[in-house]
């Protein structure tokens, strides 16, 4: 293993294996970031009840049994923490990571934006039926011209945008180059900010609300809407409305573009314990640290959604991978009845939240591939079995 002190990654190779094993813990040394300060309040303490849960087994699709320990060993795990009722049952770190280490979350970042939206809706600052252009008139002549906040929240808006991570020229990577993530894609016509990039999306892939189609740009535009509606920098809102109220141990950090706007679609960095606090807040229906942080109604809407959201998801490729599930408010819902919600990021970032058993599991990883279906599925099976058994 490469030691942290002998840095081998650069801005050109940091996102590729084996360099991501080191770089995902040191993103702040590569790109400009904004801090979400934890504030001066007390840390919300976890109780400790250590248990050996790694022997727990689960059945894979072949009918054979695997253990949680096998999943962790095979899954390029950097951090793994299991919490129930605000009590840490298991915690382990590898690959040079520690309890106070930062780790890139990739698309787990999106779920923070979805929860902030619920806070704004409850305060009357925003309506789900608002047109995007009511808040961002600069997008009037783009494919967002008829999109609503709800279309952004549920990934059903119209813009054409490809998110095939295996394609080095996919729109996802072209947008990411705005932050310097893929410098080889930068050219004289490249957008300098996330808003400028969104303005280039003039072609429609579908009708607004027609079907579910996962696209990171929709989260970034949702963040722009929230910034305008909340009349404060987006990072300030995330800090004051969510992060400080969790009683976090560490600050968080988000990669920003040239205008200082945070890359909320994929750029957040935190420690594992603080992600567990966020997950506990969600399984406790938005309540944490003695305060209702996210409205209970918003958590329930995320969990149960509506018939349209479910049918849109079922008709997509993701519907076949997560049958009976749906996507709502920037959160994946694996099983509404059991209350199993999931935040997911490429290269193996997961918060598994079981509202029925009040178990939260955080796994931070550095898979070699962005979207290795077999590794993700193995992790999901293990975490589902684990959360239902505790």
């Amino acid at each position: 293993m490469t030691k942290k002190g002998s840095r081998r990654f650069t801005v050109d190779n940091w996102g590729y294996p084996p360099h991501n094993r080191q770089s995902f813990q040191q993103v702040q040394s590569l790109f400009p970031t904004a801090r979400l300060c934890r504030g001066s309040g007390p840390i919300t303490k976890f109780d400790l009840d250590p248990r050996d849960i790694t022997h727990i087994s689960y059945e894979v699709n072949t009918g054979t049994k695997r253990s949680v320990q096998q999943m962790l060993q095979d899954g390029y795990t950097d951090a793994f923490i299991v919490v129930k009722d605000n009590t840490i049952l298991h915690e382990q770190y590898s690959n040079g990571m520690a309890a106070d280490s930062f780790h890139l979350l990739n698309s787990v970042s999106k779920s923070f934006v979805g929860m902030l939206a619920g806070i704004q809706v409850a305060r009357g600052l925003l309506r789900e039926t608002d047109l995007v252009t009511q808040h961002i008139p600069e997008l009037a002549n783009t494919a967002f011209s008829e999109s609503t906040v709800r279309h952004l929240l549920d990934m059903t808006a119209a813009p054409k945008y490809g998110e095939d991570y295996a394609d080095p020229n996919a729109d996802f990577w072209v947008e990411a180059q705005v932050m310097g993530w893929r410098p080889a894609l930068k050219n004289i016509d490249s957008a300098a900010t996330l808003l400028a990039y969104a303005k280039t999306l003039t072609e429609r892939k579908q009708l607004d609300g027609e079907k579910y189609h996962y696209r990171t740009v929709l989260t970034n535009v949702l963040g722009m809407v929230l910034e305008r509606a909340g009349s404060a920098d987006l990072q300030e809102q995330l800090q004051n409305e969510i992060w400080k109220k969790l009683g976090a141990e560490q600050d968080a950090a988000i990669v920003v573009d040239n205008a200082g706007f945070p890359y909320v679609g994929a750029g957040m960095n935190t420690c594992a314990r603080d992600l567990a606090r966020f997950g506990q807040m969600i399984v406790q229906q938005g309540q944490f640290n003695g305060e209702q942080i996210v409205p209970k109604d918003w958590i329930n809407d995320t969990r149960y959604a509506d018939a349209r959201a479910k049918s849109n998801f079922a008709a997509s490729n993701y519907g076949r991978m997560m049958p009976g599930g749906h996507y709502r408010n920037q959160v994946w819902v694996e099983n509404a009845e059991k209350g199993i919600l999931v935040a997911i990021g490429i290269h193996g970032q997961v918060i598994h939240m079981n509202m029925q058993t009040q178990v939260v599991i955080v796994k931070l990883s550095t898979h070699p591939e962005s979207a290795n279906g077999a590794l993700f599925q193995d992790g999901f099976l293990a975490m589902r079995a684990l959360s239902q058994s505790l």
Side-chain angles (χ1 to χ4, degrees):
M1 183 185 72
T2 302
K3 295 181 180 180
K4 284 188 177 182
S6 55
R7 171 168 157 167
R8 301 288 178 83
F9 58 87
T10 68
V11 292
D12 295 299
N13 65 23
W14 75 279
Y16 302 101
H19 308 291
N20 64 325
R21 297 232 73 196
Q22 186 185 25
S23 65
F24 275 22
Q25 295 179 46
Q26 300 184 58
V27 170
Q28 294 174 85
S29 72
L30 286 167
F31 309 107
T33 59
R35 302 288 282 194
L36 304 188
C37 297
R38 64 161 305 276
S40 57
I43 295 171
T44 303
K45 298 291 186 181
F46 285 118
D47 292 326
L48 299 176
D49 182 14
R51 304 181 191 181
D52 179 15
I53 53 84
T54 58
H55 68 281
I56 292 174
S57 65
Y58 59 98
E59 188 173 295
V60 296
N61 295 335
T62 60
T64 58
K65 294 280 190 177
R66 280 174 59 81
S67 69
V68 170
Q69 183 59 38
Q70 287 176 297
M71 180 274 292
L72 295 174
Q73 289 175 344
D74 296 342
Y76 299 85
T77 306
D78 299 328
F80 188 72
I81 182 169
V82 181
V83 178
K84 179 181 172 71
D85 298 324
N86 298 314
T87 299
I88 295 177
L89 304 183
H90 185 84
E91 183 177 25
Q92 68 180 73
Y93 299 94
S94 56
N95 188 33
M97 193 165 174
D100 61 351
S101 300
F102 278 68
H103 196 287
L104 179 65
L105 305 187
N106 287 308
S107 289
V108 169
S109 311
K110 293 177 169 71
S111 297
F112 285 85
V113 182
M115 294 304 102
L116 179 61
I119 295 170
Q120 286 201 6
V121 168
R123 290 181 181 167
L125 299 172
L126 188 69
R127 293 175 301 178
E128 298 168 52
T129 55
D130 283 354
L131 287 172
V132 169
T133 53
Q134 290 176 237
H135 302 277
I136 315 175
E138 298 96 317
L139 297 180
N141 295 319
T142 71
F144 291 99
S145 63
E146 298 177 9
S147 302
T148 67
V149 171
R150 174 50 62 196
H151 294 142
L152 300 180
L153 282 163
D154 293 352
M155 298 286 185
T156 63
K160 181 180 180 181
Y161 175 101
E163 191 133 353
D164 179 359
Y165 306 113
D167 177 1
N169 297 305
D171 295 317
F172 172 81
W173 296 120
V174 174
E175 184 184 27
Q177 73 77 26
V178 172
M179 271 63 59
W181 282 22
R182 287 294 185 270
L185 293 176
K186 186 174 183 179
N187 58 56
I188 193 170
D189 298 318
S190 293
T193 67
L194 289 168
L195 176 56
Y197 176 78
K199 289 169 67 175
T200 69
L201 301 182
T202 57
E203 189 175 348
R204 289 174 171 79
K205 178 69 174 180
Q206 63 186 60
L207 297 175
D208 286 293
E210 178 185 352
K211 59 184 178 182
Y212 170 83
H213 179 195
Y214 186 89
R215 286 151 293 170
T216 290
V217 69
L218 303 189
T219 308
N220 292 323
V221 172
L222 175 62
M224 298 172 202
V225 171
L226 297 178
E227 181 167 277
R228 301 279 179 95
S231 302
D233 288 345
L234 182 58
Q235 51 265 44
E236 182 181 339
Q237 294 185 54
L238 288 167
Q239 170 184 280
N240 295 338
E241 301 297 343
I242 296 178
W243 201 251
K244 282 185 175 180
K245 295 181 179 181
L246 292 175
E249 290 184 34
Q250 308 288 333
D251 293 348
I254 310 181
V255 176
V256 296
D257 69 10
N258 291 323
F261 184 81
Y263 185 33
V264 287
M268 198 164 175
N269 300 259
T270 74
C271 73
R273 287 180 183 172
D274 288 337
L275 272 194
R277 290 179 171 89
F278 178 72
Q280 283 280 282
M281 180 269 292
I282 290 178
V283 300
Q284 292 169 191
Q285 294 190 304
Q287 192 277 338
F288 193 73
N289 202 20
E291 184 174 0
Q292 191 71 40
I293 298 175
V294 176
K296 181 178 178 180
D297 288 347
W298 192 256
I299 300 294
N300 284 332
D301 177 71
T302 302
R303 176 177 179 177
Y304 296 107
D306 57 21
R308 183 65 179 273
K310 292 176 181 178
S311 63
N312 279 340
F313 187 82
S316 71
N317 291 334
Y318 292 97
R320 290 187 286 275
M321 293 186 287
M322 195 179 286
H326 64 263
Y327 188 91
R328 187 75 162 180
N329 301 329
Q330 304 284 298
V331 176
W332 303 78
V333 179
E334 184 179 304
N335 187 311
E337 182 181 349
K338 294 181 179 180
I340 299 178
L341 284 63
V342 193
I344 306 171
I346 56 173
H347 292 282
Q349 323 318 318
V350 180
I351 313 176
H352 174 99
M353 298 163 277
N354 190 320
M355 298 183 73
Q356 200 169 73
T357 62
Q358 294 286 289
V359 171
V360 171
I361 303 172
V362 171
K363 183 179 188 293
L364 299 175
S365 319
T366 37
H367 294 175
E369 301 88 11
S370 299
N372 184 310
L375 286 179
F376 269 110
Q377 186 63 25
D378 190 46
F380 294 156
L381 290 170
M383 286 182 263
R384 187 186 310 141
L386 190 54
S387 74
Q388 291 176 344
S389 68
L390 295 173

